[in-house]
Amino acid sequence: MDINQIKYFLNLAQTLSFTDAARQSGVSQPSLTRAIQRLEEELGGSLLYRDGRDTRLTALGREVQIEFMRIQASLKAVADIAENSVLGRRCRLSIGLVTTVAPAVTAAFWRHVLSQLPMVELQFVPLLPGEDENEVLSGKYDLCLLTDPPKSNPKLTILPLYREYLRLALAAGHPLAKQAEISQAQVAEEPYLDRLHCEFRSQLIEYFMDRDIVMRPRVLSEREDWIQQLVASGAGVCSLPERSAIVDGIVLRPIEGLDLSRQVTLVAVSGSGNPKEVRKILAMAAKHAW
């Protein structure tokens, strides 16, 4: 099966005339007939009823027509993307994001990118568990926003953006919210809500275990919005990077003796092989007031 067969069949399905379909396809009628016959042989069934001058699609033909129309639309989209990219009309960049980075911190930067690069489209994709800078090297993403810089690699451009410290998140009306710092004993007495995607999770467990503090989660979830909304409602507390609150009604306080932080980093493939738009974004990120 090839692209020409798809085009020939769609023209034939529309006209139901081998003569008209051949003319639309720019080939001779015998050539189009042979192409359709090869397609039927490959698919293992007739695509058309041929009864003298009366030609109509079979049930298989109608189903194939729908699928071929989808393929044709996809091929056109690919051609449009390529043309727009080559002519500098439009460039779509795929950016892998760690889900625990709050959008509010980076929104102003991406708005600046969009204003400076009007032909660029940004596609933000949440990174799956286990995905890291290797997805940039593989070409899956043009850029990745990670929560800690990867090891030095000459194939990568690694740009640290900002550092944020781990804090205790409480409801604004919580009695402990009036304190400048929360003691470890006070943390142990609160219902704990466990963010399963938290980068500090294993470190926190070790930290509290070393101090004979047992944290028994009342709620566990990979959904940042769910955990934070429950915290804001007063259902419990959670640990949260200081710039990562996405729900109103949350205050963040340091935990006595706890000094964990993360470095949010932008990563891309290094060198001139990158699209020029990626290089421009990296340059803007280096100058941005994070």
Side-chain angles (χ1 to χ4, degrees), residues 49 81 186:
Y49 291 114
I81 290 170
Q186 288 173 318

Side-chain angles (χ1 to χ4, degrees), residues 1-272:
M1 186 184 306
D2 59 37
I3 294 175
N4 284 331
Q5 286 176 305
I6 293 174
K7 181 178 70 173
Y8 297 166
F9 176 74
L10 287 176
N11 287 337
L12 180 57
Q14 181 180 21
T15 63
L16 294 178
S17 165
F18 282 84
T19 302
D20 293 342
R23 185 167 54 250
Q24 287 186 12
S25 302
V27 297
S28 66
Q29 182 174 332
S31 295
L32 183 135
T33 300
R34 285 194 297 272
I36 298 301
Q37 288 172 342
R38 288 196 302 271
L39 183 61
E40 289 179 321
E41 291 171 2
E42 186 173 347
L43 295 177
S46 297
L47 298 175
L48 300 108
Y49 291 114
R50 302 172 181 85
D51 183 13
R53 294 186 177 181
D54 183 19
T55 302
R56 61 187 187 278
L57 296 176
T58 63
L60 174 61
R62 290 192 296 271
E63 293 182 12
V64 169
Q65 180 188 24
I66 293 171
E67 296 304 319
F68 277 5
M69 289 174 68
R70 291 173 179 165
I71 293 173
Q72 188 178 57
S74 297
L75 290 171
K76 183 179 184 304
V78 170
D80 289 344
I81 290 170
E83 181 182 8
N84 288 331
S85 178
V86 170
L87 297 179
R89 293 176 183 167
R90 187 175 63 208
C91 174
R92 177 176 295 174
L93 300 178
S94 182
I95 303 168
L97 302 174
V98 170
T99 57
T100 59
V101 173
V105 185
T106 61
F109 170 69
W110 296 119
R111 182 183 64 207
H112 178 61
V113 168
L114 292 171
S115 68
Q116 297 300 307
L117 303 175
M119 300 306 174
V120 165
E121 296 178 356
L122 303 177
Q123 181 179 14
F124 294 116
V125 183
L127 288 175
L128 299 173
E131 288 190 328
D132 52 24
E133 68 277 4
N134 289 315
E135 272 53 58
V136 171
L137 290 171
S138 71
K140 183 175 182 179
Y141 303 118
D142 297 291
L143 292 152
C144 270
L145 193 66
L146 305 176
T147 49
D148 272 307
K151 294 180 180 179
S152 179
N153 187 332
K155 296 180 180 180
L156 292 174
T157 297
I158 302 169
L159 181 63
L161 303 182
Y162 61 89
R163 180 168 294 279
E164 58 180 339
Y165 288 85
L166 190 67
R167 298 291 186 243
L168 187 71
L170 325 125
H174 195 289
L176 294 181
K178 299 176 182 178
Q179 300 180 194
E181 186 176 70
I182 313 299
S183 72
Q184 298 167 16
Q186 288 173 318
V187 173
E189 293 174 358
E190 296 297 321
Y192 191 69
L193 312 182
D194 197 353
R195 297 169 51 246
L196 294 179
H197 278 324
C198 178
E199 300 91 338
F200 303 103
R201 194 165 179 266
S202 60
Q203 294 169 275
L204 273 175
I205 293 172
E206 291 178 10
Y207 176 86
F208 287 122
M209 286 180 63
D210 289 345
R211 289 155 181 79
D212 295 323
I213 299 173
V214 179
M215 302 298 291
R216 294 188 176 88
R218 298 296 308 280
V219 176
L220 303 92
S221 179
E222 296 177 351
R223 288 279 298 268
E224 291 287 316
D225 52 347
W226 278 67
I227 292 293
Q228 292 194 34
Q229 193 66 61
L230 284 168
V231 169
S233 73
V237 301
C238 76
S239 59
L240 195 65
E242 61 186 327
R243 301 175 69 178
S244 292
I246 58 174
V247 172
D248 292 335
I250 287 179
V251 297
L252 299 165
R253 296 291 181 264
I255 300 173
E256 178 187 8
L258 183 66
D259 187 28
L260 295 176
S261 66
R262 70 181 186 180
Q263 178 74 60
V264 178
T265 306
L266 195 60
V267 178
V269 172
S270 61
S272 58

